[in-house]
Amino acid sequence: MGQCAALAFVILLSLTGRASSEDGDDSLMTPLRIAVAANFKPVVDELAEAFSSSRKISISSGSTGALTAQIKNGAPYDIFLAADVQRPEYLEKLGLTRMRQTYAFGRLAFWHPSMRPVGTADLTELSTSIAIANPRHAPYGRAAEHLLVITGNYKSKRIKGNNVAQAFSFVQTGNVDAGLVALSQLRHKDIEKKAYWVIPADLHPPIEQQAVIMRDANKIAESFLLFMGSTQARRIIQDAGYTLVNNLD
């Protein structure tokens, strides 16, 4: 979604307004059910609190691949915030959605608490194990695997987590020396900046993250996605370590 689309998105938000239970719509009284890729879970927690202090919002997180399988098998979510484009497109082709859009671009980081990494040479020479999300299920894992290949890292054993949150946990607990994780995780946990290197975006395929509203979703789902385009929400997303959709030049 380009700058014009983002502008239209914000204009639509101003016309629609923030939903509230005062509208008298029964659908506004039911819980909003959100499935979210593991990397974006802390951000959704903050967005949900900012969106409504009174509405019950149920949030389930996991790898994009696992959540897609759940939805295909009938899991009753209203919104799916994926970490790629392919799975939302797939669900759209199955006729399970009624809206699809890009909400952010993820950033990958090389985290090595004892090394103080500063560039690609640190990755190339790394000989210890490195934690990554499973490339079969997780977009951050595919980006990590691509990065390791182009930097010529053939020495490190890949320790694969089910999702990027588990890969992060492997390093956090000291079970693995280093990891390729989401920048947002490092910021959320206040990891010192000297302990990681933010990977330049041109060194791996874009981690374009798309959202879909499910076909039979509660109508409040549209209001939540509109809120994600507001100034307040965009600041939360950017501060968490993501690139906004109209800041790609």
Side-chain angles (χ1 to χ4, degrees):
M1 183 169 70
Q3 190 166 4
C4 291
L7 179 60
F9 186 67
V10 174
I11 291 173
L12 182 57
L13 172 65
S14 67
L15 293 175
T16 304
R18 182 171 169 175
S20 73
S21 59
E22 296 175 358
D23 292 341
D25 191 328
D26 290 341
S27 68
L28 300 183
M29 303 303 294
T30 59
L32 179 64
R33 300 158 300 182
I34 301 175
V36 58
N39 71 93
F40 204 68
K41 170 64 163 57
V43 186
V44 167
D45 289 338
E46 189 172 354
L47 291 173
E49 184 176 352
F51 176 67
S52 174
S53 59
S54 58
R55 169 172 300 283
K56 182 177 180 181
I57 299 179
S58 173
I59 301 172
S60 301
S61 67
S63 72
T64 293
L67 291 171
T68 299
Q70 290 179 22
I71 292 169
K72 182 182 177 182
N73 290 326
Y77 298 120
D78 297 305
I79 298 173
F80 176 31
L81 297 168
D84 67 4
V85 176
Q86 290 75 22
R87 271 54 170 263
E89 284 183 340
Y90 171 69
L91 293 173
E92 184 178 62
K93 289 177 181 177
L94 291 178
L96 298 177
T97 70
R98 67 178 187 234
M99 180 180 179
R100 176 171 63 89
Q101 67 185 35
T102 299
Y103 64 90
F105 285 77
R107 299 299 306 275
L108 192 67
F110 174 38
W111 181 27
H112 197 313
S114 63
M115 177 189 280
R116 304 295 192 262
V118 295
T120 55
D122 294 318
L123 264 178
T124 302
E125 298 301 321
L126 185 71
S127 58
T128 59
S129 297
I130 186 167
I132 66 172
N134 191 327
R136 293 184 60 186
H137 309 298
Y140 279 81
R142 291 197 294 273
E145 186 63 46
H146 177 89
L147 177 66
L148 290 170
V149 170
I150 68 167
T151 55
N153 181 299
Y154 303 106
K155 304 174 185 177
S156 297
K157 180 180 179 181
R158 278 68 155 162
I159 306 299
K160 299 174 183 178
N162 291 328
N163 51 56
V164 74
Q166 189 172 50
F168 181 91
S169 178
F170 289 159
V171 183
Q172 186 179 36
T173 57
N175 290 319
V176 182
D177 291 329
L180 285 167
V181 299
L183 172 61
S184 59
Q185 295 170 301
L186 298 166
R187 288 193 176 178
H188 178 65
K189 294 294 185 179
D190 292 324
I191 303 299
E192 61 173 342
K193 292 182 179 180
K194 291 181 180 180
Y196 62 87
W197 172 53
V198 181
I199 308 299
D202 60 355
L203 290 184
H204 60 77
I207 306 175
E208 183 176 357
Q209 305 199 187
Q210 287 200 338
V212 288
I213 294 178
M214 308 317 300
R215 182 185 58 207
D216 300 321
N218 185 324
K219 65 176 63 177
I220 196 66
E222 274 85 359
S223 294
F224 186 83
L225 281 196
L226 287 171
F227 171 69
M228 286 182 66
S230 69
T231 300
Q232 179 186 8
R234 285 165 61 81
R235 185 178 299 113
I236 290 171
I237 293 169
Q238 187 172 44
D239 289 348
Y242 293 87
T243 299
L244 300 175
V245 294
N246 62 339
N247 287 350
L248 300 176
D249 295 336

